[in-house]
Amino acid sequence: MFHDAIRLTSGENLPIEMHKVRIVQKLNLLPVEERVTAMANAGFNTFLLQNRDIYMDMLTDSGTNAMSDQQLAAMMVADDAYAGSESFYRLEKAVGEIFNTQYFLPAHQGRAAEHIISQVFIKQGDIVPMNFHFTTTKAHVEYAGGEVVEVFADDALEVKSGKPFKGNIDIDKLKALIRRHGKEKIPYIRLEAGTNLIGGQPFSIENMREVRKVADEHGIIIVLDASLMGENVYFIKMREPEFRNASVKEIFHTMCGLADIVYCSFRKLGCARGGGISTNNSELYRKMRDLVPLFEGFLTYGGTSVREIEAIAVGLREALDWDVIKHSPEFIRYFVDSLNAQGVPVLTPAGGLGCHLDANGFLPHLKHSDYPAGALGAAVYIVAGARGMERGTISTDRDAAGNDVPADVELLRLALPRRVFTLSQIKYLEDRLKWLYENRNLVGGLRFVEEPKILRFFLGRLEATSDWPQKLAAKFRADFGDSL
């Protein structure tokens, strides 16, 4: 059952918006034939689609969450000073309130914070254990000379699961890794609150306490990626009995108190564009501080507009509001459960960030070399005008020998940014996805025609291996007539 959901007379539990819409942005829904052309022009890479050609932009929640009226109002009182801006001190105070930390370093976004942390703490040959990597995290660790080793539980990659905390670290694997490499080779243990690449799956505080115990035994610090921490807090309150009656702030403080460094993308957590690093350890703070002016800007703006800084400060305080942090997870759960009930392959249980379609289950006739998650992303855009993000083999780079590295799971992420989509839009997409699954055999594969060596999913261009996009569009037109 949904927390605070409305039960209809039909017995259905309906998530409701605890906000009203006051500013709107016009959308376009192109005819299906034009969507095929747009997808081809974008090199079958949803990142390269133009926003004017998109009806539902579900690529990410990074910088796309709707800001509140209070955030917009706060932007009007920004202090433009290059150094010593009052806007920064307001943000610093808000960070301290939500993370319960003393020291704060601003950065222009989450990956900039990752870059600083990696450059300061990682040396050639180091090992960084984590519950699961994120694309930019892995790239920064490797760029600094380190290696990512994932120590998740064996069942974390089960697509259909009832496990409430698939983002947990396997403690036995972590201990074995430390024994094998030695604590000197491990600069830190990274925990991602809401494992992005395996479906926005959370970890529990019970597990984090166990990780903390291992870290203390070996003198290793813990780095917490808090970008999706609001959603992780939601799941802890809903799924971890100890915290059922705890406040949102209490859960935030408990989690951050178990970490040595907390960093995040405020584009997610704060619903505005920026990032930062916080800690209670003055020695760790000083080690990272000097790289902020070098890479980001002065210590009181860190490459972020002061107007955005003001919006972040308000957004962080709003993240302590239960009505705010429950919005996306409950809409995602409604979407996932509706698709699952109709047999459409989705990852369960529903996590944070978005609905994740199981591309291998959706398109079992495609091989990993056909890039099924990428093909599914193209197909979803063609039939619905919705842009998702491939989270599969395209999102992994080739190995040193030039071979593809098959992803652990092939997912198409359909992000649900906070307060952006209506329930009617979700129902529309649900209908189109059901139709696509019924016609899944029409979807073919993709192949690269232009492939960057690093983070190829951002800029790589592909093409269809046959005329399947045209055949899919023709079937759509035959079934839906003049409907878009």
Side-chain angles (χ1 to χ4, degrees):
M1 178 175 294
F2 302 110
H3 186 90
D4 295 339
I6 297 298
R7 182 178 291 277
L8 304 182
T9 54
S10 64
E12 180 183 12
N13 289 307
L14 192 71
I16 62 169
E17 297 88 345
M18 297 303 293
H19 58 267
K20 62 181 179 181
V21 178
R22 298 181 66 191
I23 298 176
V24 297
Q25 181 179 12
K26 190 178 185 302
L27 296 175
N28 297 314
L29 182 55
L30 301 178
V32 66
E33 294 81 8
E34 293 183 30
R35 298 199 291 264
V36 172
T37 300
M39 193 76 261
N41 290 340
F44 288 86
N45 182 345
T46 57
F47 271 96
L48 302 182
L49 286 166
Q50 296 186 36
N51 193 50
R52 66 188 179 202
D53 296 332
I54 296 165
Y55 175 56
M56 295 178 70
D57 190 358
M58 309 179 83
L59 186 75
T60 181
D61 65 342
S62 180
T64 62
N65 291 306
M67 288 199 293
S68 70
D69 53 354
Q70 297 301 307
Q71 287 183 283
L72 289 169
M75 295 175 80
M76 297 299 101
V77 298
D79 177 1
D80 285 318
Y82 183 95
S85 167
E86 285 300 314
S87 296
F88 168 78
Y89 295 113
R90 283 190 279 269
L91 174 58
E92 183 182 51
K93 184 176 180 181
V95 169
E97 288 177 17
I98 191 169
F99 291 152
N100 200 27
T101 50
Q102 183 177 356
Y103 303 103
F104 172 64
L105 294 168
H108 76 272
Q109 62 185 89
R111 76 191 60 167
E114 289 177 336
H115 177 236
I116 290 171
I117 293 168
S118 298
Q119 290 298 309
V120 169
F121 296 104
I122 297 173
K123 62 183 183 299
Q124 191 69 36
D126 277 351
I127 302 294
V128 181
M130 54 185 69
N131 51 347
F132 208 84
H133 78 277
F134 183 60
T135 50
T136 59
T137 314
K138 187 172 185 289
H140 280 302
V141 168
E142 292 175 349
Y143 184 72
E147 177 188 353
V148 168
V149 178
E150 292 157 341
V151 283
F152 50 80
D154 292 339
D155 56 359
L157 302 182
E158 291 180 1
V159 175
K160 293 293 183 186
S161 171
K163 184 177 180 181
F165 295 107
K166 292 185 350 184
N168 280 355
I169 277 182
D170 186 302
I171 300 301
D172 290 336
K173 290 181 181 178
L174 177 62
K175 290 178 178 177
L177 184 73
I178 296 171
R179 286 195 301 269
R180 186 162 61 250
H181 295 282
K183 63 181 182 180
E184 297 79 12
K185 284 282 189 180
I186 300 175
Y188 56 83
I189 300 165
R190 175 181 175 273
L191 273 165
E192 184 175 323
T195 44
N196 193 314
L197 294 186
I198 58 172
Q201 298 296 311
F203 61 78
S204 68
I205 287 179
E206 179 184 15
N207 182 251
M208 194 176 186
R209 286 169 175 160
E210 293 174 345
V211 174
R212 178 78 264 173
K213 182 179 179 181
V214 173
D216 287 344
E217 287 173 357
H218 297 280
I220 302 171
I221 66 173
I222 293 177
V223 173
L224 171 63
D225 180 347
S227 300
L228 294 172
M229 194 166 167
E231 288 82 354
N232 206 121
V233 166
Y234 167 85
F235 291 121
I236 285 171
K237 186 170 176 63
M238 296 298 289
R239 299 176 183 176
E240 196 162 3
E242 179 185 346
F243 295 94
R244 170 69 68 170
N245 297 317
S247 70
V248 171
K249 178 181 275 191
E250 287 169 343
I251 300 173
F252 264 103
H253 285 188
T254 300
M255 294 176 71
C256 293
L258 292 167
D260 298 282
I261 294 173
V262 181
Y263 80 92
C264 75
S265 167
F266 292 135
R267 296 168 69 94
K268 298 177 183 291
L269 183 61
C271 295
R273 295 164 183 83
I277 307 168
S278 59
T279 181
N280 280 316
N281 187 309
S282 60
E283 182 181 352
L284 297 178
Y285 168 78
R286 286 192 296 271
K287 284 182 177 180
M288 296 181 286
R289 180 185 58 190
D290 292 349
L291 293 191
V292 173
L294 179 61
F295 292 117
E296 295 298 298
F298 194 63
L299 292 173
T300 53
Y301 76 95
T304 303
S305 157
V306 288
R307 287 160 182 76
E308 296 280 358
I309 284 174
E310 291 283 2
I312 293 166
V314 175
L316 289 178
R317 291 191 173 97
E318 290 178 344
L320 297 175
D321 185 335
W322 179 248
D323 284 335
V324 172
I325 70 165
K326 76 183 178 68
H327 176 259
S328 284
E330 294 192 354
F331 269 68
I332 291 165
R333 179 177 173 178
Y334 180 87
F335 190 23
V336 168
D337 287 354
S338 296
L339 291 172
N340 193 42
Q342 297 179 78
V344 178
V346 289
L347 184 145
T348 62
L353 207 161
C355 167
H356 292 74
L357 301 181
D358 171 21
N360 284 333
F362 210 113
L363 305 173
H365 55 286
L366 297 186
K367 306 182 296 295
H368 84 264
S369 56
D370 293 316
Y371 304 124
L376 183 57
V380 168
Y381 172 73
I382 290 170
V383 304
R387 170 165 69 167
M389 185 186 293
E390 191 271 0
R391 301 279 71 165
T393 300
I394 293 176
S395 291
T396 64
D397 293 326
R398 294 182 184 272
D399 63 20
N403 300 310
D404 256 331
V405 180
D408 294 316
V409 285
E410 288 278 346
L411 303 176
L412 177 68
R413 187 182 77 196
L414 299 171
L416 270 74
R418 288 180 192 164
R419 303 174 293 211
V420 171
F421 298 116
T422 65
L423 201 57
S424 67
Q425 289 171 317
I426 292 173
K427 297 298 289 184
Y428 154 81
L429 183 55
E430 177 189 324
D431 176 80
R432 293 300 189 259
L433 291 174
K434 182 175 183 292
W435 180 90
L436 180 59
Y437 184 58
E438 291 168 351
N439 292 276
R440 58 192 176 277
N441 290 332
L442 292 173
V443 181
L446 302 175
R447 56 177 168 242
F448 271 102
V449 295
E450 183 181 331
E451 184 178 351
K453 290 184 178 180
I454 300 175
L455 298 176
R456 62 183 182 174
F457 68 92
F458 278 128
L459 298 175
R461 300 184 70 87
L462 303 97
E463 65 181 6
T465 54
S466 68
D467 62 350
W468 68 260
Q470 290 77 19
K471 290 180 178 177
L472 182 66
K475 174 62 172 171
F476 179 95
R477 180 60 70 207
D479 285 2
F480 288 100
D482 293 335
S483 173
L484 297 178

